[in-house]
Amino acid sequence: MPLKMKLTAITLDCADPLALAAFYQQATGLEPHPKSDAEFAGLNSPDGLFIGFQRVDDYRAPNWPDQSVPQQSHLDFEVDDLDEGEARLLELGAGKPDHQPGGERWRVFTDPAGHPFCLVTG
């Protein structure tokens, strides 16, 4: 039985979150998140999808199509119960890194190929 997960956010790593958010805001017309700052900025979509931009020290831009510096992004999925979601994902082969900065608000996992993603509560 599939775990009920709703995609709620897409987050892109970058050197300057406010500048990247401004670019996408101008390109899409989405509303800036009111708590955007130099460390993390975001845009709100009317359908509830959040696009985030997080500052990363020593950010290196992807070198498409060369994969010497691959794309930097992760997905966030909303679940009703973090413990239940975690158990199911681990059963499916997800990894759970030791570093968990979200406390009880979110948990970080890796897919079988190593890409990070998060489970969040609503």
Side-chain angles (χ1 to χ4, degrees), residues 48-71:
L49 183 64
F50 178 83
I51 302 173
F53 310 95
Q54 67 183 3
R55 191 183 72 73
V56 172
D57 291 334
D58 302 316
Y59 174 75
R60 292 174 46 206
N63 191 19
W64 180 261
D66 181 298
Q67 290 298 300
S68 62
V69 181
Q71 298 76 46

Side-chain angles (χ1 to χ4, degrees), residues 2-82:
L3 179 63
K4 181 183 172 195
M5 298 189 333
K6 175 185 172 187
L7 181 64
T8 59
I10 297 171
T11 301
L12 303 175
D13 291 350
C14 61
D16 186 341
L18 291 172
L20 195 55
F23 167 81
Y24 279 101
Q25 193 277 324
Q26 292 172 352
T28 64
L30 296 177
E31 290 296 317
H33 190 278
K35 293 185 179 180
S36 293
D37 61 30
E39 293 298 313
F40 192 90
L43 300 173
N44 296 314
S45 173
D47 64 3
L49 183 64
F50 178 83
I51 302 173
F53 310 95
Q54 67 183 3
R55 191 183 72 73
V56 172
D57 291 334
D58 302 316
Y59 174 75
R60 292 174 46 206
N63 191 19
W64 180 261
D66 181 298
Q67 290 298 300
S68 62
V69 181
Q71 298 76 46
Q72 299 91 25
S73 63
H74 71 263
L75 303 175
D76 291 350
F77 295 95
E78 183 178 303
V79 294
D80 293 330
D81 184 297
L82 284 175

